Amino acid sequence: MAEHRHTGIGTYSRRDVLLGALTAGIAATSAHRVAALQAQAVTAVSFRVPAGACDCHTHAFGDPQQFPMAPERVYTPGRATVPQMQALHRALHTERVVLVQPSVYGTDNRCTLDAIKQNGSGARGVAVIDATTSDSNLADLARQGIRGIRINLEQGGVTDMAVARQRLQAAIDRVKALNWHVEIYARLEFIAGVTEQILASPVPIVIDHFARAAATDGVQQPGFDLVLRAVRAGHAYVKLSAPYLNSTLAPDYGDMAPLAKALIGANPDRMLWGSDWPHPDARIVAGRKATDPAPAYQVDDGRLLSQLAAWAPDEVTRKKILVDNPARLYGF
């Protein structure tokens, strides 16, 4: 994939800006914001992205006639296609991608699997399963590129810590013979509440979106020390993804820097970066029905990735986060 190699930022920055501007212009002319092309990298990445870099957190939302959404979903995103995703990754100079099963499809992983297939050998995935998923189903998912399963407590409406612990343990038990990992999306208080399970887990645990630690509360907020403990021990990976969910300072999310630096400093070998493209707005919004179109967050992904240089100024550390750690975890 020679077009992703770098010979210096100036060589490709104008092309990237034009690509992003063209994409943004197409989106602006759409009849409906949700139906528009999804957010792209308007700004060129500010540092040399190493070969083999991976976007470890993306979603695909396909044709609803082919991939119907679950009736019990809490939001309805617009389409986010693989060609759109690939345009983004050309602009970001990332060569690998991880597709994460979004909550709107429940345990029907077909859209995610289709996106993995379209992306080819540089793609892996994280699925959602339930108690009815058989061992043969898991084996079939593995053949199609799945390398872990996700527990989504955030959209799952889980408010009971005992339920969270039970769901995590059930997930660990299902994947421990597969050389997979368990990914968990939950509020910081729930991550803190399952720390002992994470430390005892025989499989890697991946924590989404900065463990949903709030930028305004800083590194001293309750529970963040437990996340750092699990990271230092090597039992947890943390995705440095979707800072806009935890920040109040768009578009650069500078208030996330202390949290990012603390996590990276705790153990750079357990950090991952992800865009969270196409940045779905999964909130429950007053007056918006679950079946109403939910506009995505408008994020400049080039600017988003550029923040990694502020969080990890050292090229060796950035290569760990973008290349080495994903290769180890997802089996690239």
Side-chain angles (χ1 to χ4, degrees), residues 301-315:
D301 287 290
R303 201 160 180 165
L304 193 70
L305 178 53
S306 293
Q307 290 308 300
L308 185 60
W311 302 339
D314 179 64
E315 285 189 12

PDB file of all heavy atoms in Angstrom, residues 301-315:
ATOM      1  N   ASP A 301     -11.377  14.376  11.701  1.00  0.00           N
ATOM      2  CA  ASP A 301     -10.563  13.242  12.143  1.00  0.00           C
ATOM      3  C   ASP A 301      -9.067  13.474  11.987  1.00  0.00           C
ATOM      4  O   ASP A 301      -8.268  12.897  12.729  1.00  0.00           O
ATOM      5  CB  ASP A 301     -10.985  11.971  11.396  1.00  0.00           C
ATOM      6  CG  ASP A 301     -12.329  11.457  11.872  1.00  0.00           C
ATOM      7  OD1 ASP A 301     -12.398  10.972  13.011  1.00  0.00           O
ATOM      8  OD2 ASP A 301     -13.320  11.560  11.126  1.00  0.00           O
ATOM      9  N   GLY A 302      -8.675  14.305  11.038  1.00  0.00           N
ATOM     10  CA  GLY A 302      -7.259  14.645  10.931  1.00  0.00           C
ATOM     11  C   GLY A 302      -6.781  15.405  12.153  1.00  0.00           C
ATOM     12  O   GLY A 302      -5.697  15.150  12.690  1.00  0.00           O
ATOM     13  N   ARG A 303      -7.584  16.332  12.595  1.00  0.00           N
ATOM     14  CA  ARG A 303      -7.261  17.089  13.800  1.00  0.00           C
ATOM     15  C   ARG A 303      -7.286  16.179  15.029  1.00  0.00           C
ATOM     16  O   ARG A 303      -6.483  16.328  15.948  1.00  0.00           O
ATOM     17  CB  ARG A 303      -8.277  18.218  13.945  1.00  0.00           C
ATOM     18  CG  ARG A 303      -7.849  19.373  14.811  1.00  0.00           C
ATOM     19  CD  ARG A 303      -8.690  20.594  14.496  1.00  0.00           C
ATOM     20  NE  ARG A 303      -8.295  21.726  15.315  1.00  0.00           N
ATOM     21  CZ  ARG A 303      -8.656  22.975  15.065  1.00  0.00           C
ATOM     22  NH1 ARG A 303      -9.416  23.245  14.009  1.00  0.00           N
ATOM     23  NH2 ARG A 303      -8.259  23.961  15.845  1.00  0.00           N
ATOM     24  N   LEU A 304      -8.206  15.221  15.011  1.00  0.00           N
ATOM     25  CA  LEU A 304      -8.326  14.276  16.124  1.00  0.00           C
ATOM     26  C   LEU A 304      -7.056  13.441  16.264  1.00  0.00           C
ATOM     27  O   LEU A 304      -6.490  13.331  17.356  1.00  0.00           O
ATOM     28  CB  LEU A 304      -9.535  13.373  15.886  1.00  0.00           C
ATOM     29  CG  LEU A 304     -10.032  12.530  17.056  1.00  0.00           C
ATOM     30  CD1 LEU A 304     -10.672  13.402  18.120  1.00  0.00           C
ATOM     31  CD2 LEU A 304     -11.049  11.501  16.560  1.00  0.00           C
ATOM     32  N   LEU A 305      -6.592  12.865  15.161  1.00  0.00           N
ATOM     33  CA  LEU A 305      -5.380  12.052  15.217  1.00  0.00           C
ATOM     34  C   LEU A 305      -4.161  12.904  15.565  1.00  0.00           C
ATOM     35  O   LEU A 305      -3.249  12.433  16.257  1.00  0.00           O
ATOM     36  CB  LEU A 305      -5.168  11.325  13.890  1.00  0.00           C
ATOM     37  CG  LEU A 305      -3.918  10.453  13.763  1.00  0.00           C
ATOM     38  CD1 LEU A 305      -3.812   9.444  14.907  1.00  0.00           C
ATOM     39  CD2 LEU A 305      -3.903   9.724  12.415  1.00  0.00           C
ATOM     40  N   SER A 306      -4.141  14.140  15.126  1.00  0.00           N
ATOM     41  CA  SER A 306      -3.007  15.013  15.412  1.00  0.00           C
ATOM     42  C   SER A 306      -2.792  15.214  16.906  1.00  0.00           C
ATOM     43  O   SER A 306      -1.659  15.482  17.348  1.00  0.00           O
ATOM     44  CB  SER A 306      -3.194  16.373  14.733  1.00  0.00           C
ATOM     45  OG  SER A 306      -3.139  16.243  13.323  1.00  0.00           O
ATOM     46  N   GLN A 307      -3.848  15.085  17.696  1.00  0.00           N
ATOM     47  CA  GLN A 307      -3.710  15.257  19.139  1.00  0.00           C
ATOM     48  C   GLN A 307      -2.805  14.202  19.759  1.00  0.00           C
ATOM     49  O   GLN A 307      -2.223  14.414  20.826  1.00  0.00           O
ATOM     50  CB  GLN A 307      -5.085  15.232  19.820  1.00  0.00           C
ATOM     51  CG  GLN A 307      -5.937  16.451  19.528  1.00  0.00           C
ATOM     52  CD  GLN A 307      -5.198  17.738  19.808  1.00  0.00           C
ATOM     53  OE1 GLN A 307      -4.766  18.001  20.928  1.00  0.00           O
ATOM     54  NE2 GLN A 307      -5.017  18.556  18.769  1.00  0.00           N
ATOM     55  N   LEU A 308      -2.667  13.048  19.082  1.00  0.00           N
ATOM     56  CA  LEU A 308      -1.796  12.009  19.618  1.00  0.00           C
ATOM     57  C   LEU A 308      -0.359  12.503  19.741  1.00  0.00           C
ATOM     58  O   LEU A 308       0.368  12.082  20.651  1.00  0.00           O
ATOM     59  CB  LEU A 308      -1.865  10.757  18.738  1.00  0.00           C
ATOM     60  CG  LEU A 308      -1.101   9.533  19.243  1.00  0.00           C
ATOM     61  CD1 LEU A 308      -1.618   9.084  20.600  1.00  0.00           C
ATOM     62  CD2 LEU A 308      -1.198   8.386  18.239  1.00  0.00           C
ATOM     63  N   ALA A 309       0.052  13.410  18.856  1.00  0.00           N
ATOM     64  CA  ALA A 309       1.415  13.946  18.938  1.00  0.00           C
ATOM     65  C   ALA A 309       1.602  14.801  20.177  1.00  0.00           C
ATOM     66  O   ALA A 309       2.706  14.884  20.727  1.00  0.00           O
ATOM     67  CB  ALA A 309       1.738  14.751  17.684  1.00  0.00           C
ATOM     68  N   ALA A 310       0.531  15.447  20.635  1.00  0.00           N
ATOM     69  CA  ALA A 310       0.612  16.228  21.868  1.00  0.00           C
ATOM     70  C   ALA A 310       0.608  15.317  23.092  1.00  0.00           C
ATOM     71  O   ALA A 310       1.277  15.597  24.091  1.00  0.00           O
ATOM     72  CB  ALA A 310      -0.560  17.211  21.939  1.00  0.00           C
ATOM     73  N   TRP A 311      -0.121  14.232  23.005  1.00  0.00           N
ATOM     74  CA  TRP A 311      -0.198  13.296  24.128  1.00  0.00           C
ATOM     75  C   TRP A 311       1.042  12.411  24.210  1.00  0.00           C
ATOM     76  O   TRP A 311       1.448  12.024  25.305  1.00  0.00           O
ATOM     77  CB  TRP A 311      -1.432  12.407  23.972  1.00  0.00           C
ATOM     78  CG  TRP A 311      -2.734  13.137  23.900  1.00  0.00           C
ATOM     79  CD1 TRP A 311      -2.992  14.414  24.337  1.00  0.00           C
ATOM     80  CD2 TRP A 311      -3.956  12.651  23.345  1.00  0.00           C
ATOM     81  NE1 TRP A 311      -4.302  14.745  24.085  1.00  0.00           N
ATOM     82  CE2 TRP A 311      -4.919  13.679  23.480  1.00  0.00           C
ATOM     83  CE3 TRP A 311      -4.340  11.457  22.749  1.00  0.00           C
ATOM     84  CZ2 TRP A 311      -6.248  13.539  23.043  1.00  0.00           C
ATOM     85  CZ3 TRP A 311      -5.649  11.312  22.314  1.00  0.00           C
ATOM     86  CH2 TRP A 311      -6.593  12.344  22.466  1.00  0.00           C
ATOM     87  N   ALA A 312       1.606  12.077  23.056  1.00  0.00           N
ATOM     88  CA  ALA A 312       2.785  11.196  22.994  1.00  0.00           C
ATOM     89  C   ALA A 312       3.780  11.803  22.012  1.00  0.00           C
ATOM     90  O   ALA A 312       3.812  11.424  20.837  1.00  0.00           O
ATOM     91  CB  ALA A 312       2.383   9.789  22.559  1.00  0.00           C
ATOM     92  N   PRO A 313       4.598  12.757  22.440  1.00  0.00           N
ATOM     93  CA  PRO A 313       5.529  13.445  21.525  1.00  0.00           C
ATOM     94  C   PRO A 313       6.589  12.531  20.920  1.00  0.00           C
ATOM     95  O   PRO A 313       7.141  12.845  19.869  1.00  0.00           O
ATOM     96  CB  PRO A 313       6.176  14.509  22.424  1.00  0.00           C
ATOM     97  CG  PRO A 313       5.244  14.675  23.580  1.00  0.00           C
ATOM     98  CD  PRO A 313       4.629  13.330  23.790  1.00  0.00           C
ATOM     99  N   ASP A 314       6.867  11.408  21.557  1.00  0.00           N
ATOM    100  CA  ASP A 314       7.928  10.512  21.120  1.00  0.00           C
ATOM    101  C   ASP A 314       7.440   9.578  20.012  1.00  0.00           C
ATOM    102  O   ASP A 314       6.408   8.909  20.154  1.00  0.00           O
ATOM    103  CB  ASP A 314       8.429   9.698  22.317  1.00  0.00           C
ATOM    104  CG  ASP A 314       9.510   8.718  21.932  1.00  0.00           C
ATOM    105  OD1 ASP A 314      10.581   9.156  21.504  1.00  0.00           O
ATOM    106  OD2 ASP A 314       9.255   7.505  22.053  1.00  0.00           O
ATOM    107  N   GLU A 315       8.178   9.492  18.898  1.00  0.00           N
ATOM    108  CA  GLU A 315       7.784   8.645  17.776  1.00  0.00           C
ATOM    109  C   GLU A 315       7.717   7.173  18.155  1.00  0.00           C
ATOM    110  O   GLU A 315       6.852   6.435  17.664  1.00  0.00           O
ATOM    111  CB  GLU A 315       8.762   8.824  16.608  1.00  0.00           C
ATOM    112  CG  GLU A 315       8.607  10.118  15.848  1.00  0.00           C
ATOM    113  CD  GLU A 315       9.458  10.141  14.581  1.00  0.00           C
ATOM    114  OE1 GLU A 315       9.972   9.064  14.203  1.00  0.00           O
ATOM    115  OE2 GLU A 315       9.605  11.218  13.986  1.00  0.00           O
TER     116      GLU A 315
END
